Structures are given as structure tokens and as C-alpha cells.
Amino acid sequence: MIVPRDSSAVGPVEMQIGPDDVRAMSPRRTSEDIESLGKEAREELQRHAQALQESLVTLFNRIEAVKEEHDKLDSHNKFLQKYIGDLMSTSKFTPSSSRAKK
């Protein structure tokens, strides 16, 4: 619908709300009520943010511990691989020498 700017049909429309309408039954909140609700919401949000930060720190610490354990196990694994390789190269009991003796 297109209406010219200077038309009187443009502007707020008065609505008639009956006494049984839900909008008429909703309680009016005072500015103190709204401020109290806002304060409670901010406090809850701050508590939630604090809990998330604490869980993030806990996860970070756990990741660091697992990484250290992984590095330690990886180092041990490389040492054992080298040790076993050295044993196999100096051992008299290799698969090729045991076949030759049969």
C-alpha cells in the first residue's frame, strides 16, 4: 500500500484493547522492577561466564598435562625402537642366520 507523505492516514493507530485481552491483563513493571531484573540477569550472566572461564582453564591444564605425557611416551618409544634395532643388528639370532643353520 502506497500512501503520500502528507496524508493523514499515516501515523500511529489507536488500538482498542478489551478488558479480557491478554495485553490488558499483563502487569506493569516499575523502573525499580526492571532495574532489579536487569541486575539479576547481569549477575547470572557473570556467574555463568565465570564458570565457563574456570572450565576453560581446567580443560587447558588437562590438555597441557596430556601433551606432556604424550611427549614423554613418544620419547620413550623412540628410545625403545632404537634399542631394539641395535639389539637386532648385533644379535646372532636373526631370521636369516637361523635358516642357514638348518
Side-chain angles (χ1 to χ4, degrees):
M1 179 168 114
I2 300 175
V3 180
R5 285 188 203 176
D6 54 344
S7 173
S8 62
V10 176
V13 178
E14 294 292 325
M15 292 179 33
Q16 298 295 325
I17 299 175
D20 294 335
D21 194 329
V22 173
R23 292 173 288 183
M25 289 188 258
S26 65
R28 302 284 179 199
R29 292 196 171 109
T30 64
S31 60
E32 291 86 20
D33 292 340
I34 293 172
E35 199 168 309
S36 173
L37 289 172
K39 184 178 178 183
E40 289 173 13
R42 281 190 299 277
E43 289 172 354
E44 178 62 29
L45 188 59
Q46 287 174 341
R47 283 192 297 272
H48 186 66
Q50 183 66 33
L52 288 174
Q53 287 175 342
E54 290 171 2
S55 67
L56 184 62
V57 168
T58 302
L59 284 173
F60 178 76
N61 291 336
R62 178 69 179 134
I63 288 169
E64 286 296 313
V66 168
K67 183 179 179 223
E68 288 175 10
E69 182 69 17
H70 172 268
D71 291 343
K72 179 180 160 187
L73 291 173
D74 190 46
S75 173
H76 288 279
N77 190 30
K78 287 178 182 173
F79 171 78
L80 288 173
Q81 286 175 345
K82 184 178 181 322
Y83 180 74
I84 291 170
D86 291 345
L87 282 177
M88 294 299 285
S89 66
T90 60
S91 175
K92 295 178 182 177
F93 301 107
T94 58
S96 60
S97 66
S98 65
R99 287 185 192 148
K101 292 182 179 181
K102 286 184 181 179

